[in-house]
Amino acid sequence: EIVMTQFPLSLPVTPGEPASISCRSSQSLLQSNGYNYLDWYVQKPGHSPQLLIYLGSTRAPGVPDRFSGSGSGTDFTLKISRVEAEDVGVYYCMYALLSPLFGPGTKVEI
Amino acid sequence: QVQLVQSGAEVKKPGASVKVSCKASGYNFKTYAINWVRQAPGQGLEWMGWISPNNGNTNYAQNFQGRVTMTTDTSTTTAYMELRSLTSDDTAVYYCAREDFSGYDFYSWGQGTLVIVSS
C-alpha cells in the first residue's frame, strides 16, 4: 500500500518570494511508460480542489507558469516562483493511478 | 464548457443511506469516467472510486467496498453515488470529478455536497 507524505505541512510565504512543497511516496510512481503518476492540486478556502500539475510536471490548462512540478520515482516538488496573495490554500499531491491517494496537504498562508 | 452540478446538502441519521447526484454537461458524458472524492470537516481529500458511464464499470476504493454504489443515467447525463450504513464519520463534503488527461487527473469538479450524519 502506497503512503504519501508531504512537507512542510504548514508554509508561511511572502508575496513575491519563491515557495516549495515536497511530496514523497513510499513506492515509485514512475511507470514503465516513463511517466510519473503524480498530480498536484490546490484547494482554496471554500472552493473545490483545482488541478495544477499532472504527470509530475505538466501544467494543467490555465495554470500560471509560476507553478512548476518536478521529480521522479518517489520524490517530487511543487515550486511557486513568485508567490501571489491568491495562492493561499491547501496544496495536495496525489498518486494518480489505480487507487488514487492524496497526501495530507500543505497549508500555504501569507 | 464542462460543468458538474451536484445536488444539495443532506442531513441523515446514523444507519441511513444517502444518494448524491452529479449532473454533467458540456461534453460527451459517456467518454469520461466520473470519480467521487470526499472531505471530512477540516480534513484532507479521500478518493472513493469511479464509474464509467460508457459501460457501467466501477472501481471502488477498498475503504468503501460493500457500502458504496456508483451509477449513471446516460439519458440525463447524471452520475450518482449512494453510501449506506452511514455513521458520523461519513459527515463530509462529497465531490464528483471527471477524469482527464492521463486518466486519474481531475480537472473538472462539482461544487461539492455536504452530507451531515447526526442523530
Coordinates of all heavy atoms in Angstrom, one line a residue, chain A residues 29-104:
Chain A
L29 N 6.5 6.1 -8.3 CA 5.3 6.4 -9.1 C 5.7 6.4 -10.6 O 4.9 6.8 -11.4 CB 4.8 7.8 -8.7 CG 4.4 7.9 -7.2 CD1 3.6 9.2 -6.9 CD2 3.5 6.7 -6.7
L30 N 6.9 6.0 -10.9 CA 7.4 6.0 -12.3 C 7.0 4.7 -12.9 O 7.4 3.6 -12.4 CB 8.9 6.2 -12.3 CG 9.6 6.1 -13.7 CD1 9.1 7.2 -14.6 CD2 11.1 6.1 -13.5
Q31 N 6.2 4.8 -14.0 CA 5.7 3.6 -14.6 C 6.6 3.3 -15.8 O 7.5 4.1 -16.2 CB 4.3 3.8 -15.1 CG 3.3 4.1 -14.0 CD 3.2 3.0 -13.0 OE1 2.9 1.8 -13.4 NE2 3.5 3.2 -11.7
S32 N 6.4 2.1 -16.4 CA 7.2 1.6 -17.5 C 7.1 2.5 -18.7 O 8.0 2.4 -19.6 CB 6.9 0.2 -17.8 OG 5.5 0.1 -18.2
N33 N 6.1 3.3 -18.8 CA 5.9 4.2 -20.0 C 6.7 5.5 -19.8 O 6.7 6.4 -20.7 CB 4.5 4.5 -20.2 CG 3.8 5.2 -19.1 OD1 4.5 5.6 -18.1 ND2 2.5 5.4 -19.1
G34 N 7.4 5.6 -18.7 CA 8.3 6.7 -18.5 C 7.6 7.9 -17.8 O 8.3 8.9 -17.5
Y35 N 6.4 7.8 -17.5 CA 5.6 8.8 -16.8 C 5.5 8.6 -15.3 O 5.4 7.5 -14.8 CB 4.2 8.9 -17.4 CG 4.1 9.5 -18.8 CD1 3.9 8.6 -19.8 CD2 4.4 10.8 -19.1 CE1 3.8 9.1 -21.1 CE2 4.3 11.3 -20.4 CZ 4.0 10.4 -21.4 OH 4.0 10.9 -22.7
N36 N 5.6 9.7 -14.6 CA 5.4 9.7 -13.1 C 3.9 10.1 -12.9 O 3.5 11.2 -13.2 CB 6.3 10.7 -12.4 CG 7.7 10.2 -12.4 OD1 8.1 9.4 -11.5 ND2 8.5 10.7 -13.3
Y37 N 3.2 9.2 -12.2 CA 1.7 9.4 -12.0 C 1.5 10.2 -10.7 O 1.0 9.6 -9.7 CB 1.0 8.1 -12.1 CG 0.8 7.7 -13.5 CD1 1.9 7.1 -14.2 CD2 -0.3 8.0 -14.3 CE1 1.8 6.7 -15.5 CE2 -0.4 7.6 -15.6 CZ 0.6 7.0 -16.2 OH 0.5 6.7 -17.6
L38 N 1.9 11.4 -10.7 CA 1.8 12.3 -9.5 C 1.2 13.6 -9.9 O 1.7 14.3 -10.9 CB 3.2 12.5 -9.0 CG 3.4 13.2 -7.6 CD1 3.3 14.8 -7.7 CD2 2.5 12.7 -6.5
D39 N 0.1 14.0 -9.3 CA -0.6 15.2 -9.5 C -0.4 16.2 -8.3 O -0.2 15.8 -7.2 CB -2.1 15.0 -9.7 CG -2.4 14.3 -11.0 OD1 -1.5 14.0 -11.8 OD2 -3.6 14.0 -11.2
W40 N -0.6 17.5 -8.6 CA -0.7 18.5 -7.6 C -2.0 19.2 -7.7 O -2.4 19.6 -8.8 CB 0.5 19.5 -7.7 CG 1.8 18.9 -7.3 CD1 2.8 18.5 -8.2 CD2 2.4 18.9 -6.0 NE1 3.9 18.1 -7.5 CE2 3.7 18.3 -6.1 CE3 1.9 19.2 -4.7 CZ2 4.5 18.1 -5.0 CZ3 2.7 19.0 -3.6 CH2 4.0 18.5 -3.8
Y41 N -2.6 19.4 -6.6 CA -3.9 20.2 -6.5 C -3.7 21.3 -5.5 O -3.0 21.2 -4.5 CB -5.0 19.3 -6.1 CG -5.4 18.2 -7.1 CD1 -4.7 17.0 -7.2 CD2 -6.4 18.4 -8.0 CE1 -5.0 16.1 -8.1 CE2 -6.8 17.5 -9.0 CZ -6.1 16.3 -9.0 OH -6.4 15.3 -9.9
V42 N -4.5 22.3 -5.7 CA -4.7 23.3 -4.6 C -6.2 23.5 -4.3 O -7.0 23.4 -5.2 CB -4.1 24.7 -5.1 CG1 -4.8 25.3 -6.3 CG2 -4.2 25.7 -3.9
Q43 N -6.5 23.6 -3.0 CA -7.8 23.9 -2.6 C -7.9 25.2 -1.9 O -7.3 25.3 -0.8 CB -8.4 22.8 -1.7 CG -9.9 22.9 -1.4 CD -10.4 21.7 -0.7 OE1 -9.8 21.1 0.1 NE2 -11.7 21.5 -0.8
K44 N -8.5 26.2 -2.6 CA -8.6 27.5 -1.9 C -9.8 27.5 -1.0 O -10.7 26.7 -1.2 CB -8.7 28.5 -3.0 CG -7.4 28.6 -3.9 CD -7.5 29.6 -5.0 CE -6.2 29.6 -5.8 NZ -6.3 30.6 -6.9
P45 N -9.7 28.3 0.0 CA -10.8 28.3 1.0 C -12.2 28.4 0.4 O -12.5 29.3 -0.4 CB -10.5 29.5 1.9 CG -9.0 29.7 1.7 CD -8.7 29.3 0.3
G46 N -13.0 27.4 0.8 CA -14.4 27.4 0.3 C -14.6 27.0 -1.1 O -15.7 27.1 -1.6
H47 N -13.6 26.4 -1.7 CA -13.7 26.0 -3.1 C -13.4 24.5 -3.3 O -12.8 23.9 -2.4 CB -12.8 26.8 -4.0 CG -13.3 28.2 -4.2 ND1 -13.1 29.2 -3.3 CD2 -13.9 28.8 -5.2 CE1 -13.6 30.3 -3.7 NE2 -14.1 30.1 -4.9
S48 N -13.8 24.0 -4.4 CA -13.4 22.6 -4.8 C -11.9 22.6 -5.2 O -11.3 23.7 -5.5 CB -14.2 22.2 -6.0 OG -15.6 22.2 -5.8
P49 N -11.3 21.5 -5.0 CA -9.9 21.4 -5.4 C -9.7 21.8 -6.9 O -10.6 21.6 -7.7 CB -9.5 19.9 -5.2 CG -10.5 19.5 -4.2 CD -11.8 20.2 -4.5
Q50 N -8.5 22.2 -7.2 CA -8.1 22.6 -8.6 C -6.8 21.9 -9.0 O -5.8 22.0 -8.3 CB -7.9 24.1 -8.6 CG -7.4 24.7 -10.0 CD -7.0 26.2 -9.8 OE1 -7.3 26.8 -8.9 NE2 -6.3 26.7 -10.9
L51 N -6.9 21.3 -10.2 CA -5.7 20.6 -10.7 C -4.6 21.6 -11.2 O -4.9 22.5 -12.0 CB -6.0 19.7 -11.8 CG -4.9 18.9 -12.5 CD1 -4.3 17.9 -11.6 CD2 -5.4 18.2 -13.8
L52 N -3.4 21.5 -10.6 CA -2.3 22.4 -11.1 C -1.4 21.6 -12.0 O -1.0 22.1 -13.1 CB -1.5 22.8 -9.8 CG -2.2 23.7 -8.8 CD1 -1.3 23.9 -7.6 CD2 -2.5 25.1 -9.4
I53 N -0.9 20.5 -11.6 CA 0.1 19.7 -12.3 C -0.3 18.3 -12.5 O -0.8 17.7 -11.5 CB 1.4 19.8 -11.6 CG1 1.9 21.2 -11.3 CG2 2.5 18.9 -12.3 CD1 2.5 21.9 -12.5
Y54 N -0.1 17.7 -13.6 CA -0.3 16.2 -13.8 C 0.9 15.6 -14.4 O 1.8 16.3 -14.9 CB -1.6 15.9 -14.5 CG -1.6 16.4 -16.0 CD1 -1.3 15.5 -17.0 CD2 -2.0 17.7 -16.3 CE1 -1.3 15.9 -18.3 CE2 -2.0 18.1 -17.6 CZ -1.7 17.2 -18.6 OH -1.7 17.7 -19.9
L55 N 1.0 14.3 -14.2 CA 2.2 13.5 -14.7 C 3.5 14.1 -14.2 O 4.5 14.2 -14.9 CB 2.2 13.4 -16.2 CG 1.0 12.5 -16.8 CD1 1.1 12.5 -18.3 CD2 1.1 11.1 -16.3
G56 N 3.4 14.6 -13.0 CA 4.6 15.1 -12.3 C 5.1 16.5 -12.6 O 5.5 17.2 -11.8
S57 N 4.9 16.9 -13.9 CA 5.5 18.1 -14.3 C 4.7 18.9 -15.4 O 5.2 20.0 -15.8 CB 6.9 17.9 -14.8 OG 6.9 17.0 -16.0
T58 N 3.6 18.4 -15.8 CA 2.8 19.1 -16.8 C 1.7 20.0 -16.2 O 0.9 19.5 -15.5 CB 2.1 18.1 -17.8 OG1 3.1 17.2 -18.3 CG2 1.4 18.8 -18.9
R59 N 1.8 21.3 -16.6 CA 0.8 22.2 -16.0 C -0.5 22.0 -16.7 O -0.6 21.8 -17.9 CB 1.3 23.7 -16.3 CG 2.1 24.3 -15.1 CD 2.2 25.8 -15.4 NE 2.8 26.1 -16.7 CZ 4.1 26.1 -16.9 NH1 4.9 25.8 -15.9 NH2 4.6 26.4 -18.1
A60 N -1.6 22.0 -15.9 CA -2.9 21.9 -16.4 C -3.3 23.2 -17.1 O -2.7 24.2 -16.9 CB -3.9 21.6 -15.3
P61 N -4.2 23.1 -18.1 CA -4.6 24.3 -18.8 C -5.0 25.4 -17.9 O -5.8 25.2 -16.9 CB -5.8 23.8 -19.7 CG -5.6 22.4 -19.8 CD -4.9 21.9 -18.6
G62 N -4.6 26.6 -18.2 CA -4.9 27.8 -17.4 C -4.1 28.0 -16.2 O -4.3 29.1 -15.5
V63 N -3.2 27.1 -15.8 CA -2.4 27.3 -14.6 C -1.3 28.2 -14.9 O -0.5 28.0 -15.9 CB -1.9 25.9 -14.1 CG1 -0.9 26.1 -13.0 CG2 -3.1 25.1 -13.7
P64 N -1.1 29.3 -14.1 CA 0.0 30.2 -14.4 C 1.4 29.5 -14.4 O 1.6 28.6 -13.7 CB -0.1 31.2 -13.2 CG -1.5 31.0 -12.7 CD -1.9 29.6 -12.9
D65 N 2.3 30.1 -15.2 CA 3.6 29.4 -15.3 C 4.5 29.6 -14.1 O 5.7 29.1 -14.1 CB 4.3 29.8 -16.6 CG 4.5 31.3 -16.7 OD1 4.3 32.0 -15.7 OD2 4.9 31.8 -17.8
R66 N 4.1 30.4 -13.1 CA 4.9 30.4 -11.9 C 4.8 29.1 -11.1 O 5.6 28.9 -10.2 CB 4.4 31.6 -11.0 CG 3.0 31.5 -10.4 CD 2.7 32.7 -9.6 NE 1.4 32.6 -9.0 CZ 0.3 33.1 -9.6 NH1 0.3 33.5 -10.8 NH2 -0.9 33.0 -8.9
F67 N 3.9 28.2 -11.5 CA 3.8 26.9 -10.8 C 4.6 25.9 -11.7 O 4.4 25.8 -12.9 CB 2.3 26.5 -10.7 CG 1.5 27.2 -9.7 CD1 0.8 28.3 -10.2 CD2 1.5 26.9 -8.4 CE1 0.0 29.1 -9.2 CE2 0.8 27.6 -7.5 CZ 0.0 28.7 -7.9
S68 N 5.4 25.1 -11.0 CA 6.1 24.1 -11.8 C 6.2 22.8 -10.9 O 6.4 22.9 -9.6 CB 7.5 24.6 -12.2 OG 8.3 24.9 -11.1
G69 N 6.2 21.7 -11.5 CA 6.4 20.4 -10.8 C 7.6 19.7 -11.3 O 7.9 19.8 -12.5
S70 N 8.3 19.0 -10.4 CA 9.5 18.3 -10.8 C 9.6 17.0 -9.9 O 8.8 16.9 -8.9 CB 10.7 19.1 -10.7 OG 10.9 19.5 -9.3
G71 N 10.6 16.2 -10.3 CA 10.8 15.0 -9.5 C 10.5 13.7 -10.3 O 9.9 13.8 -11.4
S72 N 10.9 12.6 -9.7 CA 10.7 11.3 -10.3 C 10.8 10.2 -9.3 O 11.5 10.4 -8.3 CB 11.7 11.1 -11.5 OG 11.4 9.9 -12.1
G73 N 10.1 9.1 -9.6 CA 10.2 8.0 -8.7 C 9.4 8.2 -7.4 O 8.2 8.0 -7.4
T74 N 10.1 8.6 -6.3 CA 9.4 8.7 -5.0 C 9.5 10.1 -4.5 O 8.8 10.4 -3.5 CB 10.0 7.8 -4.0 OG1 11.4 8.1 -3.8 CG2 9.9 6.3 -4.4
D75 N 10.2 11.0 -5.1 CA 10.4 12.4 -4.6 C 10.0 13.4 -5.6 O 10.5 13.5 -6.7 CB 11.8 12.6 -4.1 CG 12.2 11.8 -2.9 OD1 11.8 12.2 -1.8 OD2 12.8 10.7 -3.1
F76 N 9.1 14.3 -5.2 CA 8.5 15.3 -6.1 C 8.5 16.7 -5.4 O 8.4 16.7 -4.1 CB 7.1 14.9 -6.5 CG 7.1 13.6 -7.2 CD1 7.0 12.4 -6.6 CD2 7.2 13.6 -8.6 CE1 7.0 11.2 -7.2 CE2 7.2 12.4 -9.3 CZ 7.1 11.2 -8.6
T77 N 8.5 17.7 -6.2 CA 8.5 19.1 -5.6 C 7.5 19.9 -6.5 O 7.5 19.9 -7.7 CB 9.9 19.7 -5.7 OG1 10.8 18.9 -4.9 CG2 9.9 21.1 -5.1
L78 N 6.7 20.7 -5.8 CA 6.0 21.8 -6.4 C 6.6 23.1 -6.0 O 6.9 23.4 -4.9 CB 4.5 21.8 -5.9 CG 3.6 22.9 -6.5 CD1 3.3 22.7 -7.9 CD2 2.3 23.0 -5.7
K79 N 6.9 23.9 -7.1 CA 7.5 25.2 -6.8 C 6.6 26.3 -7.3 O 6.0 26.2 -8.4 CB 8.9 25.3 -7.5 CG 9.9 24.4 -6.9 CD 11.3 24.5 -7.5 CE 12.3 23.6 -6.9 NZ 13.6 23.6 -7.5
I80 N 6.6 27.4 -6.5 CA 5.9 28.6 -7.0 C 7.1 29.6 -7.1 O 7.7 30.0 -6.1 CB 4.9 29.1 -6.0 CG1 3.9 28.0 -5.6 CG2 4.1 30.3 -6.5 CD1 2.9 28.3 -4.5
S81 N 7.3 30.2 -8.3 CA 8.4 31.0 -8.5 C 8.3 32.4 -7.8 O 9.3 32.9 -7.2 CB 8.7 31.3 -10.0 OG 7.5 31.9 -10.5
R82 N 7.1 32.9 -7.8 CA 6.9 34.2 -7.1 C 5.4 34.1 -6.5 O 4.5 34.1 -7.3 CB 7.0 35.4 -8.0 CG 8.4 35.6 -8.5 CD 8.4 36.8 -9.5 NE 7.5 36.6 -10.6 CZ 7.7 35.8 -11.6 NH1 8.8 35.1 -11.8 NH2 6.7 35.6 -12.6
V83 N 5.3 33.9 -5.2 CA 4.0 33.8 -4.6 C 3.2 35.0 -4.8 O 3.6 36.1 -4.6 CB 4.2 33.4 -3.1 CG1 2.8 33.4 -2.4 CG2 4.8 32.0 -2.9
E84 N 1.9 34.8 -5.1 CA 0.9 35.9 -5.1 C -0.1 35.6 -4.0 O -0.3 34.5 -3.5 CB 0.2 36.0 -6.4 CG 1.2 36.3 -7.6 CD 0.5 36.6 -8.9 OE1 -0.8 36.7 -8.9 OE2 1.2 36.8 -9.9
A85 N -0.8 36.7 -3.6 CA -1.7 36.6 -2.5 C -2.8 35.5 -2.7 O -3.3 34.8 -1.8 CB -2.3 37.9 -2.2
E86 N -3.2 35.4 -4.0 CA -4.2 34.4 -4.4 C -3.8 33.0 -4.3 O -4.6 32.1 -4.5 CB -4.7 34.7 -5.8 CG -3.7 34.4 -6.9 CD -4.1 34.8 -8.3 OE1 -4.9 35.7 -8.4 OE2 -3.7 34.1 -9.2
D87 N -2.5 32.7 -4.0 CA -2.0 31.4 -4.0 C -2.3 30.7 -2.6 O -1.9 29.5 -2.4 CB -0.5 31.3 -4.3 CG -0.2 31.8 -5.7 OD1 -1.1 31.7 -6.5 OD2 0.9 32.3 -5.9
V88 N -2.8 31.4 -1.6 CA -3.1 30.8 -0.3 C -4.1 29.7 -0.5 O -5.0 29.8 -1.3 CB -3.6 31.8 0.7 CG1 -2.5 32.9 0.9 CG2 -4.9 32.5 0.3
G89 N -3.9 28.6 0.3 CA -4.8 27.5 0.2 C -4.0 26.2 0.7 O -2.9 26.3 1.2
V90 N -4.6 25.1 0.5 CA -4.0 23.8 0.9 C -3.6 23.1 -0.4 O -4.4 22.9 -1.3 CB -4.9 23.0 1.7 CG1 -4.2 21.7 2.1 CG2 -5.4 23.7 3.0
Y91 N -2.4 22.7 -0.5 CA -1.8 22.0 -1.6 C -1.7 20.5 -1.3 O -1.1 20.2 -0.3 CB -0.5 22.6 -2.0 CG -0.6 24.0 -2.6 CD1 -0.9 25.1 -1.8 CD2 -0.4 24.2 -3.9 CE1 -1.0 26.4 -2.3 CE2 -0.6 25.5 -4.5 CZ -0.8 26.6 -3.7 OH -1.0 27.8 -4.2
Y92 N -2.2 19.7 -2.2 CA -2.1 18.3 -2.1 C -1.4 17.7 -3.3 O -1.6 18.0 -4.4 CB -3.5 17.7 -2.1 CG -4.4 18.1 -1.0 CD1 -5.3 19.2 -1.1 CD2 -4.5 17.4 0.2 CE1 -6.1 19.6 -0.1 CE2 -5.3 17.8 1.3 CZ -6.1 18.9 1.1 OH -7.0 19.2 2.2
C93 N -0.5 16.7 -3.0 CA 0.0 15.8 -4.0 C -0.9 14.6 -4.0 O -1.6 14.3 -3.0 CB 1.4 15.5 -3.8 SG 1.8 14.6 -2.3
M94 N -1.0 13.9 -5.1 CA -1.8 12.8 -5.3 C -1.2 11.7 -6.2 O -0.7 12.0 -7.3 CB -3.2 13.2 -5.9 CG -4.2 12.0 -5.9 SD -5.7 12.4 -6.9 CE -5.1 11.9 -8.5
Y95 N -1.2 10.5 -5.7 CA -0.8 9.4 -6.6 C -2.0 9.2 -7.5 O -3.1 8.9 -7.1 CB -0.6 8.1 -5.7 CG -0.7 6.8 -6.4 CD1 0.2 6.5 -7.4 CD2 -1.6 5.8 -6.0 CE1 0.2 5.3 -8.1 CE2 -1.6 4.6 -6.7 CZ -0.7 4.4 -7.7 OH -0.8 3.2 -8.4
A96 N -1.7 9.2 -8.8 CA -2.8 9.3 -9.8 C -2.9 8.1 -10.7 O -2.9 8.2 -11.9 CB -2.5 10.6 -10.7
L97 N -3.0 7.0 -10.0 CA -3.2 5.7 -10.8 C -3.9 4.7 -10.0 O -3.7 4.6 -8.8 CB -1.8 5.2 -11.3 CG -1.8 4.1 -12.3 CD1 -2.4 4.7 -13.6 CD2 -0.3 3.7 -12.6
L98 N -4.7 3.9 -10.6 CA -5.4 2.7 -10.0 C -6.2 3.1 -8.8 O -7.4 3.2 -8.8 CB -4.3 1.6 -9.6 CG -3.6 1.1 -10.9 CD1 -2.5 0.0 -10.5 CD2 -4.6 0.4 -11.8
S99 N -5.6 3.3 -7.6 CA -6.3 3.7 -6.4 C -5.7 5.0 -5.9 O -4.8 5.0 -5.1 CB -6.2 2.6 -5.3 OG -6.9 1.5 -5.6
P100 N -6.2 6.1 -6.5 CA -5.6 7.4 -6.2 C -5.6 7.7 -4.7 O -6.5 7.3 -3.9 CB -6.6 8.4 -6.9 CG -7.1 7.6 -8.1 CD -7.2 6.2 -7.5
L101 N -4.5 8.3 -4.3 CA -4.3 8.6 -2.9 C -3.7 10.0 -2.7 O -2.6 10.3 -3.3 CB -3.3 7.6 -2.3 CG -3.0 7.7 -0.8 CD1 -4.3 7.4 0.0 CD2 -2.0 6.7 -0.4
F102 N -4.3 10.8 -1.9 CA -3.9 12.2 -1.7 C -2.9 12.2 -0.5 O -3.0 11.4 0.4 CB -5.0 13.1 -1.4 CG -6.0 13.3 -2.5 CD1 -7.1 12.5 -2.7 CD2 -5.8 14.4 -3.4 CE1 -7.9 12.7 -3.8 CE2 -6.6 14.6 -4.4 CZ -7.7 13.8 -4.7
G103 N -1.9 13.1 -0.6 CA -1.1 13.4 0.5 C -1.9 14.2 1.6 O -3.0 14.6 1.3
P104 N -1.3 14.4 2.7 CA -2.0 15.1 3.8 C -2.3 16.6 3.6 O -3.2 17.1 4.3 CB -1.1 14.9 5.0 CG 0.3 14.7 4.4 CD 0.0 14.0 3.1

